[in-house]
Amino acid sequence: MSETFDLVVRNADVATATDRYRADLGIRDGRIAAIGAVLPAGLREIDAAGRLVTPGGVDAHCHLDQPTSDGSRMADDFVTGTRSAACGGTTTIIPFACQFKGQSLRAAVEDYHRRADGKAAIDYAFHLIVSDPSEQVLRHELPALVNEGYSSFKLYMTYDDMKLNDRQVLDLLAVARREGALTMIHAENADCIAWLTDQLVEAGLTAPRFHAASRPMLVEREATHRAIALAELVDVPVLIVHVSGREAVEQIRAGQGMGLKIYAETCPQYLLLSAENLEGEGFEGAKCVCSPPPRDKANQDVIWRSLENGTFQIVSSDHAPFTFDGPNGKRNAGEDAPFPKIPNGIPGLETRLPLLMTHGVIDGRIDIHRFVALTSTNPARLYGLFPGKGTIAIGSDADIVIWEQGLNRTVRNVDLHHAVDYTPYEGLALKAWPALTLSRGEVVWQDGVYLGQAGRGRFLKAARPAPATTRGRGHRSPLWKVD
Ligand code: URP
Ligand code: ZN
Ligand code: ZN
């Protein structure tokens, strides 16, 4: 070995999505340059002392500084959001560049770059959100952007300012198929939600807990079924985001069972929170208003089992940071606003990995390899960032977490580093937390101290992620022959 390592992490108990071994990790120029039993000295050394070492987390669904249409404002920008992520062991994020109706998709991307430039402390790619699939978007902007490294986009079947009809979904899926992009779908039936909301509001049932009543499992089940049917018709993979419970899981498993490439994501809120969390005193329940809403214990159990049995490929935070007491947050429409006016979303970037490590791995619900796959390797693969991100391997970026285990703590918002004034997970048990986070070989979090720097994070161009078609298994379209 001629060149000295910049850093050697010694005595690591390395766990990847597939392997577990004891090794030293040699890091040079931000990348893993060597893995071996006893590596030569580095310019700097960190002794992992036999601790568990995993790839840095890839949070493939989070919202930072995303403009809204109702006057609310996200509390986290790229400075505070990426700081919080790093302190919780996440080293790559994929937030959304969101197009508003009437806006050019490219303008949305440019705007979002301005929001991240000089601010992000960890690396980031962008998903697109397409809310206005005009001819210009379908024919020109979206194909060009996929080619330039924005290779996944989200579409909504709900929310008045975002929702698309089935024809628009089909048009977008056809572009995804042609360009090799991955479509993420927010699957809830907008008309059912609007009708139920009107009934509830007319009856004066407007407290935060009625948010859950306005979006029952049925509306998610129906839209998930429809999304899968539309994907089958076009013959293209899709990824159903933030899946909350059994009925949607059954639709996904049915699609997967037919041989369709249906991917699925869930989030800690569907593993650890329930609709009861929307029932707190007064307006307290607004803290947990998100869509789909958390369900009940039986649904949590189904989601846990579906992590283990492979139905889900990804666990993301869906971090959507609104303050509870501050201006333009959960009380944007006033003290005790009716539930339809409460901004949707909860924070969770920093707690995603420690909560899943505690309640998933340490409590025996998933093994460590599944943990790494769900939180790092699979999102990196599916969104075109692998093998630079998502694993510990020679040539990969030195994005690494050294874990401290055996803790007996609880989640407390005062310990977190986001700009939100609450966490919905306050008081939940924590048996592990990152002792150290490396981002491209640089220490950004160590022993309770944030050491990152705004602006050091790099934009990542995402490669085309998924195979472009389901190879005709179950497709119904007469329009194209499958090879
Ligand atoms: O309630 C949620 N999930 N808010 C964030 C936006 C979205 O739909 O993911
Ligand atoms: Zn969504
Ligand atoms: Zn989201």
Side-chain angles (χ1 to χ4, degrees):
M1 189 87 35
S2 54
E3 286 180 81
T4 313
F5 299 116
D6 301 327
L7 171 66
V8 175
V9 177
R10 297 228 177 261
N11 304 311
D13 172 15
V14 177
T16 68
T18 49
D19 300 305
R20 186 141 188 190
Y21 52 86
R22 282 282 171 128
D24 294 348
L25 306 174
I27 295 162
R28 195 182 300 125
D29 297 332
R31 295 217 172 104
I32 298 172
I35 301 174
V38 186
L39 293 181
L43 296 176
R44 189 173 172 200
E45 304 245 337
I46 292 172
D47 188 3
R51 282 178 174 172
L52 178 66
V53 171
T54 59
V58 177
D59 196 334
H61 184 155
C62 57
H63 306 264
L64 295 179
D65 199 15
Q66 188 178 306
T68 61
S69 57
D70 62 359
S72 62
R73 206 172 52 241
M74 292 196 170
D76 279 317
D77 64 6
F78 277 81
V79 173
T80 60
T82 58
R83 175 182 74 195
S84 178
C87 298
T90 286
T91 48
T92 304
I93 56 166
I94 318 181
F96 296 87
C98 178
Q99 177 204 27
F100 287 107
K101 288 196 195 293
Q103 188 190 22
S104 119
L105 196 52
R106 186 166 292 280
V109 169
E110 286 166 0
D111 174 48
Y112 221 55
H113 272 292
R114 281 191 292 273
R115 292 169 190 268
D117 276 357
K119 291 192 173 169
I122 56 171
D123 296 347
Y124 57 97
F126 291 149
H127 305 294
L128 310 170
I129 290 175
V130 183
S131 66
D132 193 351
S134 60
E135 280 300 296
Q136 170 70 8
V137 166
L138 294 171
R139 284 184 190 279
H140 304 293
E141 291 191 335
L142 187 51
L145 286 165
V146 171
N147 202 32
E148 289 168 34
Y150 309 87
S151 61
S152 48
F153 60 87
K154 181 175 177 186
L155 60 82
Y156 286 82
M157 299 169 85
T158 186
Y159 294 144
D160 285 344
D161 52 346
M162 294 284 167
K163 69 182 179 204
L164 304 183
N165 61 35
D166 291 355
R167 170 59 197 258
Q168 292 172 310
V169 174
L170 288 168
D171 285 340
L172 278 168
L173 291 176
V175 176
R177 185 184 197 278
R178 203 172 57 237
E179 303 299 332
L182 184 57
T183 310
M184 310 159 74
I185 302 187
H186 180 136
E188 290 185 295
N189 180 310
D191 285 330
C192 291
I193 293 167
W195 184 80
L196 283 166
T197 300
D198 286 350
Q199 310 298 308
L200 289 161
V201 170
E202 269 170 38
L205 305 175
T206 60
R209 71 176 184 278
F210 294 107
H211 173 77
S214 75
R215 310 175 98 96
M217 197 68 230
L218 177 154
V219 309
E220 190 182 344
R221 181 232 300 162
E222 187 282 328
T224 303
H225 178 89
R226 191 158 31 103
I228 292 170
L230 299 178
E232 182 187 1
L233 182 62
V234 177
D235 183 24
V236 69
V238 290
L239 188 144
I240 311 293
V241 293
H242 45 48
V243 174
S244 74
R246 179 178 59 80
E247 295 182 33
V249 165
E250 285 170 355
Q251 298 304 317
I252 290 160
R253 283 194 78 77
Q256 292 169 343
M258 288 167 63
L260 304 175
K261 284 205 167 63
I262 309 299
Y263 303 113
E265 168 206 80
T266 193
C267 314
Q269 48 270 42
Y270 307 116
L271 296 161
L272 299 166
L273 301 180
S274 75
E276 282 177 24
N277 293 94
L278 276 80
E279 286 175 12
E281 277 286 294
F283 200 57
E284 191 74 11
K287 289 179 176 175
C288 294
V289 164
C290 60
S291 297
R295 307 292 180 187
D296 60 13
K297 175 79 175 62
N299 280 292
Q300 288 176 4
D301 290 345
V302 171
I303 299 289
W304 278 114
R305 278 202 300 282
S306 305
L307 293 185
E308 179 54 34
N309 70 20
T311 307
F312 290 109
Q313 289 69 46
I314 297 185
V315 174
S316 307
S317 67
D318 194 8
H319 182 84
F322 297 100
T323 56
F324 185 63
D325 283 324
N328 308 109
K330 291 285 184 182
R331 297 177 203 270
N332 182 48
E335 287 289 314
D336 305 334
F339 74 83
K341 302 263 185 220
I342 299 172
N344 279 210
I346 62 176
L349 255 175
E350 191 167 346
T351 45
R352 178 183 71 122
L353 294 180
L355 284 174
L356 198 66
M357 180 65 84
T358 300
H359 298 270
V361 180
I362 297 172
D363 286 355
R365 292 185 171 106
I366 55 172
D367 69 25
I368 187 64
H369 305 294
R370 184 75 68 179
F371 169 88
V372 173
L374 289 163
T375 58
S376 180
T377 313
N378 290 347
R381 273 188 201 283
L382 280 169
Y383 295 121
L385 302 177
F386 188 85
K389 303 296 184 188
T391 193
I392 292 177
I394 291 175
S396 295
D397 285 354
D399 290 0
I400 288 168
V401 177
I402 301 177
W403 286 88
E404 185 174 0
Q405 294 187 299
L407 299 176
N408 183 13
R409 293 214 313 244
T410 57
V411 179
R412 303 186 317 162
N413 196 57
V414 290
D415 297 329
L416 302 181
H417 300 79
H418 58 193
V420 187
D421 56 353
Y422 78 96
T423 166
Y425 306 108
E426 187 82 31
L428 281 187
L430 277 180
K431 298 179 189 165
W433 195 274
L436 181 138
T437 308
L438 286 179
S439 166
R440 277 184 281 102
E442 293 174 21
V443 179
V444 290
W445 164 255
Q446 187 169 21
D447 299 330
V449 181
Y450 175 62
L451 298 166
Q453 266 180 352
R456 66 166 296 286
R458 292 183 188 155
F459 172 67
L460 304 166
K461 289 187 180 191
R464 282 177 171 75
T469 76
T470 61
R471 301 225 163 264
R473 299 182 73 184
H475 85 99
R476 301 277 192 270
S477 174
L479 296 181
W480 32 64
K481 277 216 186 90
V482 178
D483 53 21

